[in-house]
Amino acid sequence: MSAADATRRPTLASGVRLHRDTVRERDVLLFPEGALVLNETAAEVLALCDGERTVAQIAAVLSERYGGADLLADVVELLDGIVAEGLMDRDDDA
Amino acid sequence: MPDPAPTPAAPIPFPLLLVAELSYVCPLHCPYCSNPTGIVGARRSAELPTADWTRVFREASALGVLQLALTGGEPLLRRDLEELCSASRDAGLYSTLVTSALPALDTRVEALRDAGLDHVQVSIQHADRERSDVIGGAVSFDAKLAAARAVRELGMPLTINVVLHRDNLDDVDEIIELAAGLGARRLELANTQYHGWAAVNKQALMPTRAQVERGERIVEAARERLGARMEILWVLPDHFEDLPKPCMGGWGSDAIIIDPTGRVLPCQSAATLPGLPVERVTDSSLEQVWFDSELFNRYRGHAWMQEPCRSCPLGRQDVDHGGCRCQAFALTGDAAATDPVCHLSPHHAALVADRDRILAAAEKNERPPYRYRTTSARQS
């Protein structure tokens, strides 16, 4: 993890949407011809990726929800995975 | 050896994809069109109205569908397409417009995007303007490129779709370059499947094995070169295979197709099968059709299978589901037969002989002209 990771303001790539699949009771990312099933934490992180918050701010929001644990490394790892899937742009710091 | 034990009925999964065929009419006349050949005098007035489609989108979403393909024929011929995109978004579906780009997608795409369209898939027939227009049977290439550029300028994801056959397989390299240059995120290279008009034009369209193998190598190299920049799908031509494809991921397991007149079908060609009960969105809910109809239950599971599928020595019953029902019917006259693409099918030798006869004729450059797809009653 580099210092730049924490200051990125991540947002989903264009044409990628976070969606609550109420039938199967799970969150998914929808994109051209596909869907990626998310666990609850991943869905929470992605819901916070609005292009305004930095990665550090997203980690701080989650930390507050989960009793103060330092979640920055976990958030960065998760977002790297979404980038690797091509669902989030790498150079998206505003 | 005892008879195999009856298979316990697996629970019916929820569907993921709704294919909405909005109109049979199309400005292009591609000789490989997968639409049924029997549609003559297609009347726009017989098309399902806006209100039925919007209700169907809500029903589909409530049934678990995530992806919606707006297709045809040509979906751009619908004047209510913006309304349908908006209904799709309201229902929570991810929408893809599957289009020839005619008429006038380039000037309409922004309104469609604003209404809720998520993704555009534009067909191209060849990387060369003249040859693309000849294959499509209409002057269309420049309009396609203009539309693809307009999609990218809006920042929307773009897929380029090319159906491959004898007259464009040698130019796969140029097609890949064109799609990458247009900024496509995905390129679908689908070798022709011989249904609908493609079955009529099999002799003109079937490539040689050398063409297919060369195309495959070029795709492999392009995947290495382009990496994540553009995903390339390569769908094998199954007359060159000896194991069948899992058509539609299994009958009634992933997808629902609704044709322009409102018939609900498990696959785009299923209307060609004789004796199948007709289900209409105007008569029943999608939920009733999906779970309870004889139509959707007929080829689910294994109970309907015949030999050699019934005791498949390869254990592929749940892998390929016996292959394609429509191809089985077209080539054997029995929709419950094993797809003759399977080397274990008693009809496989006939499929190979037919293919080899076509390829021998191709070697001698004996080929009929295209019979272009039409929905007007005047031709053929």
Side-chain angles (χ1 to χ4, degrees):
Chain A
M1 183 172 64
S2 71
D5 285 328
T7 57
R8 275 164 51 208
R9 297 173 198 274
T11 178
L12 292 172
S14 73
V16 182
R17 272 221 322 271
L18 186 59
H19 176 74
R20 177 68 188 171
D21 179 350
T22 53
V23 172
R24 299 171 188 83
E25 296 184 323
R26 61 194 190 185
D27 294 291
V28 291
L29 275 186
L30 297 179
F31 48 88
E33 321 281 337
L36 181 72
V37 179
L38 303 169
N39 63 29
E40 264 177 63
T41 323
E44 265 189 281
V45 171
L46 293 176
L48 293 167
C49 293
D50 56 4
E52 302 285 325
R53 291 186 184 86
T54 64
V55 173
Q57 285 166 337
I58 290 166
V61 172
L62 290 169
S63 175
E64 206 167 295
R65 283 184 202 166
Y66 295 102
D70 182 2
L71 298 172
L72 183 59
D74 296 327
V75 171
V76 169
E77 189 188 343
L78 173 85
L79 294 179
D80 282 348
I82 302 293
V83 170
E85 295 282 340
L87 302 175
M88 186 171 260
D89 301 320
R90 166 60 74 185
D91 304 307
D92 48 5
D93 26 345
Chain B
M1 197 168 118
D3 281 345
T7 325
I12 298 169
F14 299 109
L16 288 162
L17 169 68
L18 176 66
V19 178
E21 299 181 334
L22 299 178
S23 174
Y24 277 131
V25 181
C26 185
L28 267 63
H29 305 284
C30 306
Y32 48 74
C33 183
S34 61
N35 275 184
T37 51
I39 304 158
V40 285
R43 294 194 338 274
R44 302 294 314 278
S45 59
E47 290 174 5
L48 205 60
T50 316
D52 284 308
W53 280 120
T54 57
R55 172 179 53 82
V56 163
F57 294 170
R58 286 194 302 272
E59 289 181 3
S61 179
L63 197 53
V65 167
L66 299 176
Q67 296 272 352
L68 169 66
L70 299 163
T71 180
E74 177 48 61
L76 286 169
L77 293 174
R78 293 281 300 218
R79 261 176 280 177
D80 58 355
L81 192 56
E82 287 78 1
E83 255 181 283
L84 297 179
C85 289
S86 157
S88 164
R89 176 61 64 89
D90 289 346
L93 301 172
Y94 189 95
S95 55
T96 294
L97 181 68
V98 182
T99 178
S100 71
L102 272 69
L105 176 61
D106 57 338
T107 54
R108 198 176 177 190
V109 64
E110 188 166 7
L112 294 170
R113 192 271 315 262
D114 290 348
L117 180 65
D118 290 299
H119 166 223
V120 179
Q121 180 179 128
V122 174
S123 70
I124 284 178
Q125 281 61 42
H126 200 288
D128 174 79
R129 174 189 293 108
E130 281 73 29
R131 296 178 71 186
S132 185
D133 290 352
V134 166
I135 295 166
V139 174
S140 53
F141 186 76
D142 289 340
K144 287 167 182 286
L145 296 200
R149 291 191 183 109
V151 170
R152 290 302 301 136
E153 273 164 30
L154 292 171
M156 294 178 79
L158 170 72
T159 294
I160 296 290
N161 171 301
V162 186
V163 174
L164 296 177
H165 46 79
R166 188 185 301 163
D167 295 333
N168 62 10
L169 248 172
D170 291 338
D171 302 271
V172 160
D173 233 340
E174 289 80 357
I175 290 168
I176 292 170
E177 285 315 306
L178 176 66
L182 288 168
R185 183 179 296 182
R186 301 170 68 252
L187 171 62
E188 285 189 7
L189 297 172
N191 278 282
T192 303
Q193 305 292 318
Y194 298 102
H195 302 301
W197 287 89
V200 174
N201 285 295
K202 190 156 69 170
Q203 193 131 6
L205 295 172
M206 194 180 284
T208 65
R209 187 180 289 276
Q211 279 185 298
V212 174
E213 286 170 356
R214 180 177 170 276
E216 215 163 3
R217 285 196 303 273
I218 287 171
V219 167
E220 271 311 313
R223 281 178 178 150
E224 298 244 324
R225 193 170 69 245
L226 295 166
R229 222 180 98 206
M230 183 172 79
E231 181 191 356
I232 308 178
L233 275 84
W234 168 260
V235 181
L236 284 165
D238 62 9
H239 279 57
F240 293 87
E241 298 289 293
D242 52 17
L243 291 170
K245 289 190 176 64
C247 192
M248 303 304 291
W251 183 275
S253 70
D254 283 344
I256 299 175
I257 287 78
I258 299 178
D259 84 5
T261 63
R263 278 187 303 181
V264 193
L265 296 162
C267 94
Q268 272 140 305
S269 309
T272 62
L273 299 177
L276 276 186
V278 175
E279 297 287 344
R280 292 187 180 279
V281 291
T282 41
D283 297 336
S284 320
S285 72
L286 277 193
E287 186 179 1
Q288 288 169 323
V289 176
W290 180 258
F291 287 110
D292 302 329
S293 72
E294 198 215 321
L295 171 64
F296 273 74
N297 282 308
R298 183 171 288 188
Y299 301 115
R300 277 181 174 140
H302 305 161
W304 58 273
M305 286 181 179
Q306 306 172 355
E307 294 296 355
C309 287
R310 181 175 281 272
S311 59
C312 179
L314 305 171
R316 286 176 55 93
Q317 288 172 333
D318 292 316
V319 177
D320 59 39
H321 313 280
C324 171
R325 295 304 89 228
C326 303
Q327 185 149 274
F329 173 70
L331 299 180
T332 76
D334 181 357
T338 296
D339 185 337
V341 168
C342 181
H343 67 282
L344 297 171
S345 159
H347 298 275
H348 184 68
L351 176 139
V352 170
D354 179 51
R355 180 195 70 201
D356 290 347
R357 180 184 56 74
I358 291 173
L359 293 183
E363 294 295 332
K364 287 184 277 176
N365 231 0
E366 288 168 13
R367 53 169 296 170
Y370 296 146
R371 278 188 61 202
Y372 284 107
R373 188 237 187 200
T374 176
T375 52
S376 87
R378 291 182 57 209
Q379 196 191 311
S380 72

